[in-house]
């Protein structure tokens, strides 16, 4: 791993996605963790699926930070995360088989909010009511849980330690049942509640902590901290393709509010992007390839959701969107994923501008809806070589180097890493 790149100064570095999620964040957090003492998830919940591959093992994490496979790192689930205790306990069970001591290096914020079974019902009811305008939610209860958080109704992890927890649970459930009215639940609520309560009992025995304070103390004692984002910038509730977004702040600012870190303590911001684009769920996607080529990229890149198994929509790299993401997050280092998937394409199209209401623009407009906006492409030569066995960045094809330099020139930020396969080892450092 390059030392020039990862000087890991005293501070909190952030790693986040610059597109519509699934950029490969899990893989890179795992690769970077040996340089860090603390890895902390700052938002999202079990809508996320972060995949790690090493030593022939493939593992998908939903709530647990992707640094968990490294014995020396403390992993923190921050206050900005929403936790479904059932999914979380299932994750722990799978993990313990591989990492028997993982619980000793995991802290869960008391301020993180709980996803109730009725939050999942509300999510399903809301999507059903939207009909053809549905968001394509993962239906994990994310939106309703964040709504209860900002509406000041939510239940937090710390509440499970209080004597009146059951009354609080019942009061929130009653509120939800009132909202649901005659909605027919798609799963058995009584069964789901029983499993949920059993998982709450297990959670009580885990390390519940004031993680904002743990992180502040780690910072003051010179520990190196990595904040792990979920989803991607274009799914951010403020800056994404609203309303087709998730319900949290997926951008760099979310690391401050989701962990209790002051902005002046942020160091590097690693921005992860795919060499092309994908999106799962509904919403505008200007460079989408809704054709055979799109299917070819989906097949080669195994573009099927890590959480829901849904096929991901695929398309060309979108530079106006990438530039916007770089600015919103203050990205200092770019990391390009899945370059290997593009091998064998004669030419690559890169979107450099849009025609928007009859005018050529190079920024991201208010609306990305297809009837208002047409992408303008620059054609670049592709490469034939299989990249997956390359271990030395100087051996990459000239066309890939040119593609990478073009992205650097267009964004003004160095691309420090090119990923050429899902495994930890298939990682090429350029700096
Ligand atoms: P995340 O949500 O950002 O962590 O990304 P996901 O894990 O949902 O999706 C990324 C997928 O691409 C996973 O299946 C990874 O194993 C895989 N992956 C990551 N990097 C590469 C790469 O460079 N090449 C290929 N072919 N696959 C990759
Ligand atoms: P990671 O962390 C890709 C998408 C859903 C849907 C929208 C809202 O693995 O990159 P939600 O369940 O939050 O109500 O869904 O956001 N979405 C993701 N897409 N990767 C994710 O996470 C996602 N998390 C949510 O498909 O379009
Ligand atoms: Mg994912």
């Amino acid at each position: 791993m390059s030392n020039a790149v990862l000087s890991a100064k005293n501070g909190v570095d952030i790693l986040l996605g610059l597109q519509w999620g699934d950029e490969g964040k899990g893989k890179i957090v795992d690769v970077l963790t040996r340089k860090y003492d603390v890895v902390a998830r700052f938002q999202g919940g079990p809508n996320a699926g972060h995949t790690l591959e090493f030593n022939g093992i493939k593992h998908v994490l939903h709530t647990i930070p992707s640094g968990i496979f490294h014995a020396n790192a403390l992993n923190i689930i921050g206050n900005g995360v929403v936790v479904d205790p059932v999914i979380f306990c299932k994750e722990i069970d799978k993990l313990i088989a591989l990492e028997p001591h993982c619980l000793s290096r995991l802290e869960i914020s008391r301020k993180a909010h709980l996803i109730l079974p009725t939050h999942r019902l509300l999510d399903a009811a809301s999507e059903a009511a939207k009909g053809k305008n549905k968001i394509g939610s993962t239906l994990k209860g994310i939106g309703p849980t964040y709504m209860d958080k900002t509406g000041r109704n939510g239940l937090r992890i710390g509440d499970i330690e209080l004597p009146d927890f059951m009354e609080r649970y019942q009061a929130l459930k009653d509120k939800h049942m009132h909202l649901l009215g005659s909605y027919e639940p798609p799963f058995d609520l009584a069964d789901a509640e029983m499993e949920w309560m059993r998982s709450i009992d297990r959670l009580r025995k885990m390390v519940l902590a004031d993680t904002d304070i743990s992180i502040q103390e780690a910072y003051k004692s010179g520990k190196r901290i990595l904040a792990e984002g979920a989803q991607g910038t274009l799914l951010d509730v403020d800056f994404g393709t609203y309303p087709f977004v998730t319900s949290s702040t997926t951008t760099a600012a979310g690391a401050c509010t989701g962990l209790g870190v002051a902005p002046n303590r942020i160091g590097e911001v690693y921005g992860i992007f795919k060499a092309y684009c994908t999106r799962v769920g509904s919403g505008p996607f200007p460079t989408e390839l809704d054709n055979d080529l799109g299917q070819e990229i989906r097949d080669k890149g195994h573009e099927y959701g890590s959480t829901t198994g849904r096929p991901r929509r695929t398309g060309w790299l979108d530079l106006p969107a990438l530039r916007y993401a770089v600015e919103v997050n203050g990205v200092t280092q770019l990391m390009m994923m899945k370059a290997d998937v593009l091998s064998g394409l004669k030419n690559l199209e890169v979107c450099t501008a849009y025609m928007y209401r009859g005018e050529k623009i190079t920024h991201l407009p208010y609306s990305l809806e297809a009837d208002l906006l047409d992408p303008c492409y620059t054609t670049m030569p592709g490469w034939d070589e299989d990249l997956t066995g390359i271990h030395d960045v100087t051996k990459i094809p000239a066309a890939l180097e040119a593609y990478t330099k073009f992205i650097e020139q267009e964004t003004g930020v160095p691309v420090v890493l090119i990923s050429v396969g899902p495994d930890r080892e298939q990682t090429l450092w350029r700096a």
Side-chain angles (χ1 to χ4, degrees), residues 120-122 124-125 128 177 180-189:
R120 287 194 288 128
L121 289 183
L122 288 166
M177 294 312 282
L180 286 161
S182 58
Y183 177 73
E184 199 61 50
F187 56 84
D188 187 282
L189 183 58

Coordinates of all heavy atoms in Angstrom, one line a residue, residues 120-122 124-125 128 177 180-189:
R120 N -40.8 -1.2 9.1 CA -40.8 -2.0 7.9 C -42.2 -2.0 7.2 O -42.3 -1.9 6.0 CB -40.3 -3.4 8.1 CG -38.7 -3.4 8.3 CD -38.2 -4.8 8.2 NE -38.5 -5.7 9.3 CZ -39.1 -6.9 9.1 NH1 -39.3 -7.4 7.9 NH2 -39.4 -7.6 10.2
L121 N -43.2 -2.1 8.1 CA -44.6 -2.1 7.5 C -44.9 -0.7 6.9 O -45.5 -0.6 5.8 CB -45.6 -2.4 8.6 CG -45.7 -3.8 9.1 CD1 -46.8 -4.0 10.2 CD2 -45.9 -4.8 8.0
L122 N -44.5 0.3 7.6 CA -44.7 1.7 7.1 C -44.0 1.9 5.7 O -44.5 2.5 4.8 CB -44.3 2.7 8.1 CG -45.2 2.8 9.3 CD1 -44.5 3.7 10.4 CD2 -46.5 3.5 9.0
A124 N -43.2 -0.4 3.5 CA -43.9 -1.2 2.5 C -45.2 -0.5 2.1 O -45.6 -0.4 0.9 CB -44.2 -2.6 3.0
A125 N -46.0 0.0 3.1 CA -47.2 0.7 2.8 C -47.0 2.0 2.0 O -47.7 2.3 1.1 CB -47.9 1.1 4.1
A128 N -46.2 1.0 -1.6 CA -47.4 0.5 -2.2 C -48.3 1.7 -2.6 O -48.8 1.7 -3.7 CB -48.2 -0.4 -1.3
M177 N -49.4 1.7 14.2 CA -50.6 1.0 13.9 C -51.7 1.9 13.5 O -52.5 1.6 12.5 CB -51.1 0.0 15.0 CG -50.1 -1.1 15.4 SD -49.4 -2.0 14.0 CE -50.8 -3.1 13.6
L180 N -51.0 3.0 10.0 CA -51.2 1.9 9.0 C -52.7 1.6 8.7 O -53.0 1.1 7.7 CB -50.5 0.6 9.5 CG -49.0 0.7 9.4 CD1 -48.3 -0.4 10.3 CD2 -48.5 0.4 8.0
G181 N -53.5 1.9 9.7 CA -55.0 1.7 9.5 C -55.3 0.3 9.1 O -54.9 -0.6 9.8
S182 N -55.9 0.1 7.9 CA -56.4 -1.2 7.5 C -55.3 -1.9 6.6 O -55.6 -2.9 6.0 CB -57.7 -1.1 6.8 OG -57.5 -0.3 5.7
Y183 N -54.1 -1.3 6.5 CA -53.1 -1.9 5.7 C -52.8 -3.4 6.0 O -52.6 -3.7 7.2 CB -51.8 -1.1 5.8 CG -50.6 -1.6 4.9 CD1 -50.6 -1.5 3.6 CD2 -49.6 -2.3 5.6 CE1 -49.6 -2.1 2.8 CE2 -48.5 -2.8 4.8 CZ -48.5 -2.7 3.5 OH -47.5 -3.2 2.7
E184 N -52.8 -4.2 5.0 CA -52.6 -5.7 5.2 C -51.1 -6.0 5.3 O -50.4 -5.9 4.3 CB -53.3 -6.4 4.1 CG -53.6 -7.9 4.3 CD -54.6 -8.1 5.5 OE1 -55.6 -7.5 5.5 OE2 -54.2 -8.9 6.3
P185 N -50.6 -6.4 6.5 CA -49.1 -6.6 6.6 C -48.6 -7.7 5.7 O -49.3 -8.7 5.6 CB -48.9 -7.0 8.0 CG -50.2 -6.7 8.8 CD -51.3 -6.7 7.7
P186 N -47.5 -7.5 5.0 CA -46.9 -8.5 4.1 C -46.2 -9.6 4.9 O -45.7 -10.5 4.3 CB -46.0 -7.8 3.2 CG -45.6 -6.5 3.9 CD -46.7 -6.2 4.9
F187 N -46.1 -9.5 6.2 CA -45.4 -10.5 7.0 C -46.2 -10.6 8.4 O -46.9 -9.6 8.7 CB -43.9 -10.3 7.2 CG -43.6 -8.9 7.8 CD1 -43.6 -8.7 9.2 CD2 -43.2 -7.9 7.0 CE1 -43.2 -7.5 9.7 CE2 -42.9 -6.6 7.5 CZ -42.9 -6.4 8.9
D188 N -45.9 -11.7 9.1 CA -46.7 -11.8 10.4 C -46.0 -10.9 11.5 O -44.9 -11.2 11.9 CB -46.6 -13.3 10.8 CG -47.5 -13.6 12.0 OD1 -47.1 -13.2 13.2 OD2 -48.6 -14.0 11.8
L189 N -46.8 -10.0 11.9 CA -46.2 -9.0 12.8 C -45.9 -9.6 14.2 O -44.8 -9.3 14.7 CB -47.2 -7.8 13.0 CG -46.7 -6.7 13.9 CD1 -45.3 -6.1 13.3 CD2 -47.7 -5.5 13.9

